[in-house]
Amino acid sequence: MRIGIDPEGRTAQGVTGFLGFVALNLLYLALCLPIVTIPAATAALYEVTIRYSDDESGRPLKDFLPAFGRNAKKASLLGLVLLPAVVVLAFSALFWSGSPTIIGGIAMVVSILAAVHVFAAFLYAMALTAVYDNPVRATLKNALLLPTAEPIRTMGLLLVPATLVCVTILFPMFGVILATVGFSVGAYGTAFLFRSVFARHTPGA
């Protein structure tokens, strides 16, 4: 009896797709290592996963490096504005957490909410960069407005990275999965939310 594996079968395609996401995840992490390239790598990851979420169009792994080059300048400028703001607000929340006063408590809560809002704006900015060819200023404006305009979907977007971080803290061994496939699969999951948000706010969509 001869046993063969059909390369066009669902199982083979599933394995190939999974390995592609593993390779995409590793490539994304490698390009994030210089730190300053995190925005460009994230925009590229969103571009290929958003495209792939639309009836599996495109080739995520092969398209990633070209997308990285296309998005590098714009994503870097947006990241330079938004990510330092997230860090400053996070440190502000940490500073006010040591204050026993009511004002200190209020300042801590405001700082936390502002940091979360700006981080969500960063995610939107990277996805907007990946999908639309708008100027930096318009992209930044839209990114800052969308978390307020789409609170439920924004919570969904934030839930993905928050869950990955929390699970990794509670179960350090999960870090292996995160480093192997967590970012690429997480981006693919959020791609459907991004498409839903953009469809609601794109005239004629």
Side-chain angles (χ1 to χ4, degrees):
M1 178 185 294
R2 296 182 58 187
I3 298 177
I5 297 178
D6 181 7
E8 300 299 325
R10 288 189 175 183
T11 301
Q13 290 180 350
V15 171
T16 301
F18 175 76
L19 293 178
F21 270 85
V22 170
L24 179 63
N25 196 85
L26 295 175
L27 182 57
Y28 169 74
L29 290 177
L31 288 178
C32 284
L33 288 178
I35 305 300
V36 295
T37 55
I38 289 176
T42 302
L45 183 63
Y46 281 154
E47 179 176 327
V48 297
T49 52
I50 289 173
R51 187 183 303 138
Y52 191 71
S53 70
D54 185 10
D55 295 328
E56 298 187 359
S57 59
R59 304 164 300 173
L61 184 58
K62 292 183 179 180
D63 294 342
F64 182 78
L65 288 178
F68 179 86
R70 281 193 301 273
N71 296 317
K73 181 178 180 180
K74 183 177 174 182
S76 297
L77 289 173
L78 291 165
L80 189 62
V81 174
L82 295 170
L83 287 181
V86 174
V87 173
V88 170
L89 289 167
F91 273 108
S92 175
L94 185 62
F95 170 79
W96 287 111
S97 67
S99 173
T101 65
I102 295 178
I103 294 178
I106 295 174
M108 180 189 70
V109 172
V110 170
S111 296
I112 292 173
L113 293 176
V116 171
H117 181 95
V118 177
F119 179 69
F122 168 74
L123 297 181
Y124 276 120
M126 297 304 100
L128 287 167
T129 297
V131 176
Y132 300 101
D133 187 22
N134 290 330
V136 172
R137 181 175 295 183
T139 301
L140 179 61
K141 177 184 176 182
N142 291 332
L144 289 170
L145 291 174
L146 279 173
T148 302
E150 294 286 346
I152 302 300
R153 290 173 176 80
T154 299
M155 288 177 62
L157 293 174
L158 293 172
L159 188 61
V160 174
T163 300
L164 292 175
V165 171
C166 291
V167 172
T168 303
I169 292 174
L170 294 174
F171 306 100
M173 286 299 296
F174 185 79
V176 177
I177 299 176
L178 185 65
T180 304
V181 75
F183 291 98
S184 58
V185 172
Y188 178 65
T190 58
F192 295 94
L193 287 170
F194 281 127
R195 287 176 54 203
S196 175
V197 170
F198 297 161
R200 285 166 54 85
H201 295 275
T202 301

